[in-house]
Amino acid sequence: MATLTLSHLLPHRLRRNHLPADHRRNRCRCCLYSTTKESSTAVVWFKQDLRVDDHPGLLAASKHRAVIPLYVLDRRILSHSRLRGHEFEARAGRSVQGRYTTETLELAIIALEELRSSLKKQGSDLMLRYGNAENVIEDLVKEVRAPFVFVEEEVEHHLCEVVEAVKKKMDGVSFPGESPRVVVWRTPFYETQSLSDLPHSWEEFKKLNLPVTLPVPAGRLSSQESELQWGSVPTLDDLKDYMKESLCEKERSWREMAHASAERILMKRNLEPIVDATVGKKVQNSAFITRNRDTVGGGTEAVLNALAGYLRYLEGTSRDDWQEVHARLRDAETRPGASFFKLFGPALCLGIVSRRRVHYEAIEYEKERNAGFISPFGYSASTVTAATDAVCSMEWYSLTALNEEMIDDKRRSVRIWRWKGYLIQYTVAGNEGPAVLLVHGFGAFLEHYRDNVDSIVNSRNRVWTITVLGFGKSEKPNIVYTELLWSEMLRDFMIEVVGEPAHCVGNSIGGYFVSLMAFLWPDLVKSVILVNSAGNVIPGYSPLPISRERRVPFGAQLGARLLILFLRFNVKKLLKDCYPVKPERADEFLITEMLRASQDPGVVMVLESIFGFDLSRPLNYLLKGFEEKTLVIQGMKDPISDPRKKVALLKEFCPGMVIKKVNAGHCPHDEIPEEVNHIICEWIAKVDNDEQQALKSLIPADLLPQ
């Protein structure tokens, strides 16, 4: 059999777990065996790559005699949470909560219409079918006898599961000659032969000075000659009804819970007037086509036109559509450069444009401004900086996520969850028992619970750990970070990933986030376990009015940069100070990973949040009514706060809380894990037993088993 080398493509039988560990990372340039048979038909399965421009998979498929572009309206792709309560065990694996918001669904529908129009110009069409992707694709492959299915590589765990299901289905299909194959492709951003040798540090990676690859042209396509049912693009209402068909009452209530922002709930509780932002007058050829009109949408051409207007912000314009882009840019610029992802992030996540196309257009504009010259000292337009920084950062975290698909040293697979377009790492362990969520503190990551997970799982619990947005190897986007943002992230993680109420453990600032979640969305939390939590105790507290818009305080960026330098030079000492009883637990692994994360793109924005945190809502206010379901584990040698004063205040003003004092510093869960694990497991068993007894008391005696 002849071997044809094509960039960025690899048959699925040679991918991931089918390869030795040292080869699994080679994802950029691979061999594809005999895929260009002029007489064959190829299916191109679109998911989050809704474009014809710069689409390597479509270009490779165009060499086939006929190409069937396909979009599957699969509920698991459009939504991916799983409620795992006892009443839903029979429904395990069914998606119930939208990963696409109403606005994102609206953007996707418009993008599908534009994609169909673009494909028709290329001599083809877009097929739309409903159902599980593996069943739809199996039926289509058999119908058109297509030996190849092209699909973009994924990093999100739930999408990887769907792709794997398709691969397994294809293994069971056979034609005379050879079996169908799934060909996985990706759009490489950098010119490199292998990702296996890339540095783990962003600063070291930048030193390689790898050139960015150029976008590829759209290929001319040939359509299937036989009559096929191509389907129609659904309306927004039809699609929403389709996604609701399988929902029960509890699932619907969880969906509704995710719709209300933390800010809106707080304002409602404070009896503050809620004023919705005005949408404004729509202009001709507007790129803001959804009902909220705050993000760019449409097809590739419309998005690139809006990008051109965005890049030319400093020039001014008489065009109404570009003036609208400039107005939205000003509204979205909550910190330098933040407007780019706010406006273009959804289009990038849906794949309406590729990251390298954005980079190419930005650099071409910079050359246009400077007679073909690119300064080594930075770009001449802040919009060019914002666009290139954003897509380079997105690419870095995507590469990090691809490499993190490997199994860690404790054999727990690191998974990826996408939240609001950002990649977030998490793990899950255990097969039975109550759900437990572990949330780390400021500057830490999910591995900070390295010696807690197994012990808690062995006590018959299921454990989720998460690296919060902005920390560890999770993405660090250019946004304003607030305690409300992080609480909303935990809420959505509970709804979309955990899928049932959990015992929520939080260390340091993670404890404050957990307390906020219990205050705002108590139905998600079975109990709260605070491990040296941030937050004060203030007697007689009355809530203050909510600040409608958070912006970076003056001087915060300079302060954050100075803080980074201080931390890099003092991280070892600072960390060991937090482990006064067992300083050896502040080991090289923790120090190295903290230093690595401190060099990630976007870390300055995260540290700026220190200067803008609002921790004014005290723990006694947040956990009022939740006290009897709150356990406080307090290290009495904490160098960051006054543990004796805090314990005394909690005992006086939160008498229902259970307080366990331990001989440890700021991170008892990692300093003395055996003792803390025992306390946590004992607490979880007690809370669950009390809950079961309370439920039994509601059942009439004559209905109880004798």
Side-chain angles (χ1 to χ4, degrees):
M1 180 180 291
T3 300
L4 176 66
T5 302
L6 291 178
S7 296
H8 337 307
L9 302 173
L10 181 64
H12 86 269
R13 289 185 179 85
L14 300 181
R15 296 182 61 78
R16 294 189 182 165
N17 295 334
H18 301 280
L19 283 174
D22 58 337
H23 288 105
R24 283 204 296 263
R25 295 172 182 261
N26 187 3
R27 301 171 183 273
C28 191
R29 191 175 299 271
C30 308
C31 290
L32 176 67
Y33 297 99
S34 305
T35 64
T36 53
K37 296 180 179 179
E38 293 297 329
S39 61
S40 63
T41 297
V43 172
V44 178
W45 173 24
F46 287 88
K47 300 188 306 302
Q48 298 179 133
D49 49 325
L50 305 182
R51 64 183 185 274
V52 171
D53 173 72
D54 193 26
H55 195 294
L58 195 61
L59 181 63
S62 68
K63 297 178 174 64
H64 291 254
R65 178 182 60 82
V67 177
I68 310 294
L70 170 70
Y71 186 85
V72 183
L73 294 147
D74 187 332
R75 292 189 183 93
R76 296 168 304 173
I77 296 175
L78 298 173
S79 59
H80 72 275
S81 77
R82 296 175 175 85
L83 284 181
R84 293 184 181 85
H86 297 301
E87 65 268 42
F88 302 121
E89 286 177 354
R91 300 157 64 95
R94 180 177 292 181
S95 304
V96 296
Q97 167 62 38
R99 70 181 302 276
Y100 285 5
T101 62
T102 297
E103 185 170 7
T104 311
L105 286 175
E106 196 174 356
L107 285 172
I109 289 169
I110 297 167
L112 287 171
E113 292 172 342
E114 294 297 325
L115 176 60
R116 168 169 276 180
S117 177
S118 298
L119 286 166
K120 286 182 176 179
K121 292 176 183 177
Q122 298 301 118
S124 185
D125 201 339
L126 177 65
M127 179 176 291
L128 292 106
R129 293 191 175 181
Y130 292 81
N132 287 351
E134 61 270 27
N135 297 330
V136 170
I137 292 174
E138 179 188 28
D139 292 342
L140 180 59
V141 163
K142 290 178 178 178
E143 182 181 354
V144 300
R145 300 185 68 81
F148 299 103
V149 177
F150 288 80
V151 58
E152 185 178 24
E153 183 172 48
E154 297 293 349
V155 296
E156 296 171 68
H157 177 71
H158 84 288
L159 289 179
C160 290
E161 286 187 322
V162 175
V163 173
E164 287 300 320
V166 171
K167 293 175 182 178
K168 288 179 181 178
K169 278 284 187 179
M170 292 301 98
D171 286 338
V173 179
S174 62
F175 299 141
E178 62 177 320
S179 300
R181 303 182 191 182
V182 174
V183 182
V184 181
W185 62 272
R186 68 184 303 264
T187 306
F189 194 82
Y190 296 105
E191 287 187 8
T192 177
Q193 292 292 325
S194 171
L195 301 181
S196 60
D197 300 324
L198 296 182
H200 294 288
S201 158
W202 170 245
E203 292 299 323
E204 292 300 316
F205 179 78
K206 286 195 298 184
K207 291 177 184 178
L208 297 178
N209 201 26
L210 295 173
V212 177
T213 58
L214 296 176
V216 298
R220 188 69 185 173
L221 306 177
S222 299
S223 206
Q224 183 82 3
E225 293 178 1
S226 61
E227 290 294 325
L228 294 172
Q229 296 296 320
W230 291 92
S232 59
V233 178
T235 65
L236 178 61
D237 289 339
D238 288 342
L239 188 54
K240 289 167 71 174
D241 289 342
Y242 167 69
M243 292 174 64
K244 290 178 181 178
E245 284 177 3
S246 62
L247 301 182
C248 69
E249 188 58 37
K250 185 169 184 178
E251 293 169 334
R252 291 176 191 271
S253 69
W254 279 52
R255 286 176 65 100
E256 292 301 319
M257 199 184 303
H259 292 163
S261 68
E263 178 187 276
R264 199 176 187 91
I265 294 174
L266 288 171
M267 293 181 71
K268 188 175 180 180
R269 292 190 182 183
N270 292 356
L271 302 179
E272 297 179 38
I274 298 173
V275 180
D276 292 322
T278 55
V279 174
K281 183 181 178 181
K282 188 173 182 178
V283 304
Q284 189 175 5
N285 298 323
S286 173
F288 301 91
I289 52 180
T290 62
R291 298 176 187 182
N292 292 338
R293 300 227 313 275
D294 58 355
T295 56
V296 171
T300 303
E301 186 176 339
V303 173
L304 289 178
N305 176 63
L307 176 63
Y310 178 89
L311 294 171
R312 289 161 177 78
Y313 174 70
L314 296 178
E315 295 182 8
T317 180
S318 61
R319 292 178 51 171
D320 289 346
D321 56 340
W322 283 9
Q323 286 180 3
E324 185 184 28
V325 171
H326 295 172
R328 298 295 185 190
L329 182 159
R330 289 189 290 271
D331 292 341
E333 195 77 352
T334 52
R335 67 167 319 285
S339 59
F340 177 79
F341 195 86
K342 171 64 177 175
L343 299 183
F344 294 92
L348 281 163
C349 292
L350 287 171
I352 300 171
V353 291
S354 66
R355 292 193 286 268
R356 68 179 178 186
R357 170 60 74 183
V358 169
H359 189 276
Y360 174 81
E361 296 296 333
I363 296 302
E364 287 299 299
Y365 171 64
E366 178 70 10
K367 291 178 180 177
E368 178 187 314
R369 279 176 59 88
N370 298 285
F373 176 70
I374 299 292
S375 170
F377 304 107
Y379 300 122
S380 61
S382 58
T383 50
V384 173
T385 302
T388 54
D389 282 356
V391 293
C392 288
S393 176
M394 290 175 72
E395 182 66 17
W396 169 252
Y397 290 108
S398 179
L399 294 176
T400 300
L402 285 170
N403 288 336
E404 283 299 310
E405 287 176 352
M406 307 291 290
I407 305 297
D408 70 12
D409 60 352
K410 293 217 170 180
R411 311 308 296 172
R412 280 191 296 273
S413 175
V414 174
R415 299 178 177 182
I416 303 297
W417 170 57
R418 190 183 293 275
W419 182 68
K420 295 190 175 182
Y422 312 126
L423 301 179
I424 294 175
Q425 292 193 347
Y426 74 98
T427 65
V428 57
N431 299 309
E432 60 177 343
V436 182
L437 174 64
L438 306 179
V439 184
H440 61 79
F442 200 92
F445 30 83
L446 63 84
E447 290 88 351
H448 204 201
Y449 288 102
R450 53 191 170 171
D451 291 320
N452 306 108
V453 174
D454 287 343
S455 179
I456 299 173
V457 167
N458 291 338
S459 294
R460 292 194 167 186
N461 298 292
R462 288 166 297 139
V463 180
W464 282 260
T465 58
I466 182 172
T467 296
V468 173
L469 183 74
F471 299 104
K473 293 180 181 176
S474 287
E475 200 159 345
K476 301 169 183 64
N478 186 351
I479 57 175
V480 176
Y481 293 85
T482 70
E483 71 289 346
L484 299 183
L485 174 93
W486 276 310
S487 69
E488 289 177 353
M489 186 213 69
L490 291 180
R491 171 202 66 191
D492 292 345
F493 184 78
M494 287 293 300
I495 292 172
E496 297 183 15
V497 180
V498 179
E500 64 178 282
H503 300 275
C504 297
V505 182
N507 171 235
S508 190
I509 194 70
Y512 193 80
F513 299 158
V514 164
S515 300
L516 260 176
M517 182 168 64
F519 174 71
L520 295 167
W521 305 283
D523 289 346
L524 299 177
V525 182
K526 294 188 79 171
S527 77
V528 170
I529 302 170
L530 304 179
V531 183
N532 284 57
S533 177
N536 299 314
V537 178
I538 304 177
Y541 171 80
S542 296
L544 300 173
I546 306 300
S547 174
R548 288 303 306 268
E549 186 175 353
R550 298 277 191 94
R551 289 184 178 264
V552 177
F554 179 77
Q557 190 173 41
L558 175 61
R561 293 188 182 279
L562 293 174
L563 184 58
I564 287 175
L565 292 176
F566 174 78
L567 292 174
R568 286 177 182 172
F569 284 107
N570 296 277
V571 63
K572 187 172 183 177
K573 179 183 182 302
L574 292 170
L575 194 59
K576 286 189 178 294
D577 286 347
C578 290
Y579 290 72
V581 176
K582 294 185 177 180
E584 68 277 8
R585 291 288 296 172
D587 56 20
E588 199 62 31
F589 168 74
L590 290 179
I591 295 168
T592 301
E593 180 54 26
M594 286 183 174
L595 286 172
R596 187 212 62 76
S598 74
Q599 299 175 353
D600 273 345
V603 72
V604 172
M605 296 75 146
V606 182
L607 288 178
E608 283 176 2
S609 65
I610 292 177
F611 302 96
F613 268 150
D614 180 7
L615 305 185
S616 62
R617 300 173 194 86
L619 295 175
N620 55 305
Y621 173 73
L622 295 177
L623 295 171
K624 186 177 181 180
F626 218 89
E627 293 178 8
E628 298 200 357
K629 289 188 176 182
T630 300
L631 167 67
V632 176
I633 300 175
Q634 182 65 47
M636 299 307 290
K637 293 184 177 179
D638 190 341
I640 294 178
S641 63
D642 184 343
R644 287 177 176 78
K645 180 181 178 182
K646 190 162 195 174
V647 166
L649 287 170
L650 286 170
K651 284 183 176 180
E652 182 177 357
F653 297 102
C654 305
M657 292 183 182
V658 174
I659 300 174
K660 298 287 186 179
K661 296 185 287 185
V662 295
N663 183 33
H666 188 63
C667 310
H669 63 287
D670 192 47
E671 188 173 14
I672 50 171
E674 297 85 0
E675 184 177 345
V676 170
N677 292 341
H678 176 73
I679 294 172
I680 291 174
C681 292
E682 194 175 62
W683 167 263
I684 292 171
K686 177 186 179 301
V687 171
D688 274 36
N689 182 65
D690 290 348
E691 187 178 83
Q692 290 173 13
Q693 294 301 319
L695 289 173
K696 283 183 180 179
S697 67
L698 300 176
I699 302 174
D702 57 330
L703 296 180
L704 289 172
Q706 298 299 320

